[in-house]
Amino acid sequence: MIQAKGWAAQDPKTDLAPWDFERREVGPHDVQFDILYCGVCHSDLHQIKNDWFEGIFPMVPGHEIVGRVVKVGDHVTKFKVGDLAGTGCMVDSCQVCENCKEGLEQYCLEGNTQTYNSMERDGSRPTYGGYSNTIVVREEFVLHISDKLDLAATAPLLCAGITTYSPLRHWKVGKGHKLAVLGLGGLGHMGVKFGVAFGAEVTVLSTSPSKEEDAKKLGAHHFLVTKDPEQMKAAQGSFDFILDTVSAEHDMNAYLGLLKTNGVMMCVGVPSKPYAIHPFSLIGGRKSVAGSGIGGIKETQEMLDFCAEHNIVSDIELIDIKDITASYERMEKGDVRYRFVIDMATL
Ligand code: NAP
Ligand code: ZN
């Protein structure tokens, strides 16, 4: 076994603290890479708090992982020692079902293996995430990372990036479309960048008036304060798409009113409670509410290559691991500009 060190939550009520653990030996198809940076996703906070379901503890969160390869298995062909490498939310899937074969491993019919808070496919041990010094991942789930981009700012692309890129691509959002991004946090700010890059007219819908200047710097064309009834009224029926990235409970009916006829609400945020949607919010204007989960491996690589080509990274605040709890507190208040990334040298 490989000795690893990281930061873990021992239970849902205890703050993260240093924890030593073991990772599996590098198998013939595995890549081991030392972690240099790991992004902090709101999903990390949801999961250590058991917001969605009972988690597996101790839990080492982190699924926006970048680093450098230190060892490869005998059958590995795509990576060599010294390469930059990245891993997002998944480390394995069945690889043979209809969805896996189509490159939609996130929708693996047997369930994908998450990077943490999941069991290895052989059931032998839990998976542990990126708030740690090293990781072993099967080759198919390791991404190539360009050396053209700032490495720390690339880490959030592995989750926040692909989670917003994938639905915008699926619904072919681009020129001629009015796109609203609901919630300007880690996912939201990447949604703005991709929406703009794809040619859409982008509006940020935010509860935080103080984010207006940032939204414009990110490339958004318009900014709407959702707490202002006048602004909400003026925007009724004006968007083709809304990308909902909100992490907490919110009134979907109010936001559905902002969609045009045939408009689509693309939900990626995962609040802890179900939505309460009145049928009238959908019927009046044939509206759709849809969901999207991260993205497959092929599309994640496509997104990373697109970012390298178009010089797109996340806007980050680099933190020491010891500041993780304070960062979670700020994230809970919507005070992230726009992604915390842990400098793993501080582990
Ligand atoms: P984040 O950085 O905390 O951003 C969430 C943003 O939502 C906040 O910055 C805030 O923006 C807005 N917000 C918060 N509470 C709100 C409320 N009560 N009403 C309206 N808006 C509110 O979180 P994140 O990392 O981007 O993650 C967002 C959500 O996506 C989380 O639930 C996460 O678990 C989920 N997620 C899903 C996937 C997937 O595959 N579908 C992948 C990753 C993450 P403003 O200040 O602008 O209002
Ligand atoms: Zn995430």
Side-chain angles (χ1 to χ4, degrees), residues 205-273:
L205 309 177
S206 175
T207 58
S208 312
S210 63
K211 291 181 182 171
E212 177 161 6
E213 207 183 308
D214 289 345
K216 300 278 168 67
K217 277 195 207 134
L218 291 165
H221 305 94
H222 315 281
F223 186 86
L224 190 161
V225 179
T226 52
K227 287 188 287 194
D228 179 344
E230 288 302 314
Q231 291 189 39
M232 285 293 278
K233 201 170 155 204
Q236 288 297 302
S238 59
F239 302 113
D240 299 286
F241 298 96
I242 299 176
L243 182 65
D244 180 351
T245 74
V246 174
S247 51
E249 270 185 271
H250 55 293
D251 179 9
M252 287 291 268
N253 303 293
Y255 297 112
L256 284 165
L258 303 181
L259 284 173
K260 287 183 189 173
T261 302
N262 295 325
V264 180
M265 172 80 83
M266 305 174 287
C267 298
V268 291
V270 190
S272 55
K273 296 222 176 82

Side-chain angles (χ1 to χ4, degrees), residues 62-171:
H63 58 206
E64 295 183 337
I65 309 168
V66 292
R68 212 170 270 287
V69 176
V70 291
K71 196 171 179 184
V72 295
D74 291 345
H75 296 303
V76 168
T77 57
K78 290 187 293 187
F79 290 89
K80 58 181 193 317
V81 171
D83 285 352
L84 288 174
T87 285
C89 303
M90 299 178 285
V91 287
D92 212 344
S93 73
C94 84
Q95 299 280 291
V96 294
C97 75
E98 203 180 316
N99 287 349
C100 283
K101 279 194 192 143
E102 274 185 41
L104 297 169
E105 300 90 346
Q106 75 274 35
Y107 307 130
C108 172
L109 296 175
E110 283 185 12
N112 69 64
T113 306
Q114 294 273 291
T115 304
Y116 67 89
N117 199 15
S118 197
M119 291 303 285
E120 297 275 13
R121 288 202 99 66
D122 62 6
S124 59
R125 68 181 69 83
T127 56
Y128 298 113
Y131 298 6
S132 59
N133 64 334
T134 196
I135 191 163
V136 179
V137 182
R138 67 182 284 182
E139 178 178 31
E140 291 89 340
F141 288 80
V142 185
L143 285 307
H144 288 284
I145 304 291
S146 166
D147 59 8
K148 283 198 226 147
L149 300 174
D150 179 82
L151 191 60
T154 300
L157 301 180
L158 275 309
C159 173
I162 184 60
T163 303
T164 49
Y165 182 94
S166 184
L168 295 179
R169 282 302 199 211
H170 178 76
W171 277 281

Side-chain angles (χ1 to χ4, degrees), residues 11 23 109 139 175 178 217 246 272 282-283 315 336:
D11 60 65
R23 296 214 185 260
L109 296 175
E139 178 178 31
K175 224 172 156 28
K178 290 190 175 177
K217 277 195 207 134
V246 174
S272 55
L282 302 171
I283 291 167
D315 288 22
V336 192

Side-chain angles (χ1 to χ4, degrees), residues 4-8 16 21 23 33-41 44 59-67 86-89 91 114-117 127-137 155 321 324 328 341-347:
K5 56 179 187 166
W7 275 48
L16 262 66
F21 61 103
R23 296 214 185 260
F33 63 96
D34 282 353
I35 300 171
L36 296 170
Y37 300 101
C38 184
V40 178
C41 180
D44 299 346
M59 190 188 299
V60 179
H63 58 206
E64 295 183 337
I65 309 168
V66 292
T87 285
C89 303
V91 287
Q114 294 273 291
T115 304
Y116 67 89
N117 199 15
T127 56
Y128 298 113
Y131 298 6
S132 59
N133 64 334
T134 196
I135 191 163
V136 179
V137 182
I321 186 84
I324 188 65
Y328 282 154
V341 171
I342 305 165
D343 180 353
M344 224 38 84
T346 64
L347 193 69

